[in-house]
């Protein structure tokens, strides 16, 4: 599954100096050359589209997920710029193994996109299965912090890097049945902001990317546990955000000049808005 891209390393080193502004001859650093982007949850949805976007723009992507057949298909589509690696973010051994398997020339990760995540169910808190809550916490929170903790030290040592965490509007606004899913995404946002607090002065950036209703991914199919009719209903009569919208936002964040940090960004489709408070009247 792993294919090393020899021959890119030297070009990369010099281009990174330019990219991150350390070239004294280049006061306006170019942001266009050869980043290595580590994307979790790249077998579907946002993650796969982000991989396409970064590769289309000349970057390399480490594409990770549990479904290796999907990763292989994406790698075949993207060619040598994509490195597929099996990864279950809920399993510390799988994380250690994935990182250990990175070929030398792929080890300098410029951007970590913590995208792997899921919602399970829409039942109210007093009816929702506890194991669903544990899976969401294990994936959206614990998995995300494990990957971040593993890759941050090298970024800090190099004085450059970016962590993009996939939050959600569900972490900003409560809705019925959002209980633990929304809480995990609130965690993602606060963790990201706290990263910012710790990383000031290191040159490493962090962003919470929080989309609203987004169609064309497997998110609702997973949430409704394979009830594809229920999943499709979520988007009926709407023009939701697309994975391409989110991928282009992630790409924009990653290619801003190094002195610019997007702390948190929230996107909704134009057809989505807010409701009044729900008041139970006698
Ligand atoms: P998808 O269901 O289409 O993709 C989710 C990805 O996460 C898959 O590639 C899946 O791969 C991966 N994944 C799930 N569990 C694990 C795990 N334990 N280890 C590794 N990978 C895992 O969802 P989206 O693309 O729509 O969502 C991506 C992220 O964006 C999620 O964090 C989601 O919460 C967030 N989000 C989604 C919104 C939406 O409306 N779609 C809106 C706001 C935020 P595999 O199963 O192969 O492991
Ligand atoms: C996904 C968006 O509104 O379904 O995070 O919770 S929502």
């Amino acid at each position: 599954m792993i294919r090393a891209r020899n021959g890119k390393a030297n070009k990369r080193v010099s281009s990174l100096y330019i990219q991150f502004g350390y070239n004294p001859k280049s006061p306006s650093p170019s942001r266009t050359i050869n980043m290595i982007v580590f994307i979790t949850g790249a077998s579907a949805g946002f993650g796969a589209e982000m991989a396409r976007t970064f590769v289309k723009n000349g970057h390399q992507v480490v594409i990770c997920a549990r479904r290796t057949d999907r990763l292989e298909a994406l790698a075949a589509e993207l060619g040598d710029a994509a490195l597929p690696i099996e990864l279950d973010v809920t399993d510390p051994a799988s994380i250690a193994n994935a990182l250990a398997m990175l070929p030398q020339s792929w080890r300098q990760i410029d951007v970590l996109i913590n995208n792997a995540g899921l919602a399970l169910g829409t039942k109210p808190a007093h009816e929702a299965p506890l194991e669903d809550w544990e899976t969401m916490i294990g994936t959206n929170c614990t998995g995300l912090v494990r990957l971040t903790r593993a890759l941050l030290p090298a970024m800090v040592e190099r004085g450059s890097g970016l962590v993009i965490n996939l939050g959600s509007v569900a972490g900003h606004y409560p809705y019925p049945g959002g209980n633990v899913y929304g809480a995990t995404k609130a965690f993602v946002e606060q963790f990201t902001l706290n990263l910012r607090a710790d990383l000031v002065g290191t040159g490493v950036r962090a962003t919470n990317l929080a989309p609203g209703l987004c169609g064309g991914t497997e998110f609702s199919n997973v949430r409704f546990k394979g009830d594809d009719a229920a999943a499709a209903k979520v988007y009926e009569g709407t023009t939701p955000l697309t994975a391409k919208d989110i991928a282009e936002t992630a790409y924009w964040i990653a290619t801003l000049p190094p002195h610019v940090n997007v702390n948190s960004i929230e996107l909704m489709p134009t057809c989505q808005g807010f409701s009044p408070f729900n008041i139970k009247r006698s």
Side-chain angles (χ1 to χ4, degrees):
M1 215 155 156
I2 298 210
R3 298 187 295 274
R5 321 288 172 222
N6 294 329
K8 286 198 172 178
N10 287 341
K11 184 178 146 216
R12 235 183 80 69
V13 170
S14 56
S15 66
L16 279 169
Y17 280 122
I18 296 167
Q19 178 191 333
F20 292 107
Y22 297 144
N23 184 344
K25 291 183 191 151
S26 174
S28 324
S30 154
R31 297 285 310 162
T32 56
I33 308 170
N34 207 4
M35 292 182 281
I36 295 186
V37 186
F38 190 104
I39 306 172
T40 68
S43 61
F46 298 171
E49 204 51 40
M50 286 172 188
R52 291 190 183 97
T53 301
F54 278 93
V55 168
K56 188 179 76 192
N57 286 287
H59 304 285
Q60 292 168 253
V61 291
V62 183
I63 48 175
C64 307
R66 293 166 302 181
R67 286 172 293 175
T68 53
D69 54 334
R70 297 286 202 93
L71 295 179
E72 289 289 3
L74 184 59
E77 175 190 329
L78 298 180
D80 276 359
L83 179 70
I85 297 191
E86 182 174 8
L87 172 68
D88 179 348
V89 299
T90 66
D91 177 2
S94 173
I95 294 176
N97 194 42
L99 297 178
M101 286 195 327
L102 281 176
Q104 203 55 43
S105 59
W106 284 80
R107 290 198 167 201
Q108 193 170 305
I109 306 299
D110 301 299
V111 183
L112 165 63
I113 305 185
N114 279 311
N115 164 75
L118 76 173
L120 287 174
T122 54
K123 286 196 169 146
H126 51 287
E127 292 172 14
L130 187 57
E131 56 271 24
D132 285 355
W133 286 6
E134 286 169 350
T135 302
M136 288 188 275
I137 294 167
T139 310
N140 303 355
C141 301
T142 314
L144 178 146
V145 303
R146 280 193 185 123
L147 252 303
T148 305
R149 183 64 185 82
L151 293 181
L152 258 191
M155 291 183 179
V156 171
E157 199 178 321
R158 283 201 313 276
S160 67
L162 167 65
V163 179
I164 299 178
N165 292 326
L166 263 292
S168 168
V169 295
H172 296 163
Y173 315 105
Y175 62 79
N179 42 68
V180 165
Y181 177 66
T184 65
K185 294 303 186 179
F187 173 95
V188 169
E189 168 147 68
Q190 195 59 26
F191 177 60
T192 309
L193 296 177
N194 281 336
L195 283 179
R196 290 279 298 122
D198 288 349
L199 294 171
V200 166
T202 65
V204 179
R205 300 180 292 167
T207 298
N208 176 54
L209 168 51
L213 184 76
C214 187
T217 77
E218 297 176 0
F219 177 81
S220 290
N221 309 81
V222 171
R223 184 169 217 172
F224 290 101
K225 303 181 177 179
D227 183 346
D228 293 342
K233 254 194 158 350
V234 172
Y235 309 100
E236 240 172 51
T238 74
T239 305
L241 296 172
T242 65
K244 194 160 184 281
D245 296 324
I246 307 309
E248 283 175 357
T249 304
Y251 186 72
W252 169 72
I253 292 165
T255 51
L256 286 167
H259 69 282
V260 180
N261 191 103
V262 177
N263 294 338
S264 187
I265 182 168
E266 182 183 292
L267 293 88
M268 275 184 178
T270 311
C271 65
Q272 188 174 26
F274 305 96
S275 295
F277 287 119
N278 181 8
I279 299 170
K280 175 79 183 153
R281 300 181 193 279
S282 59

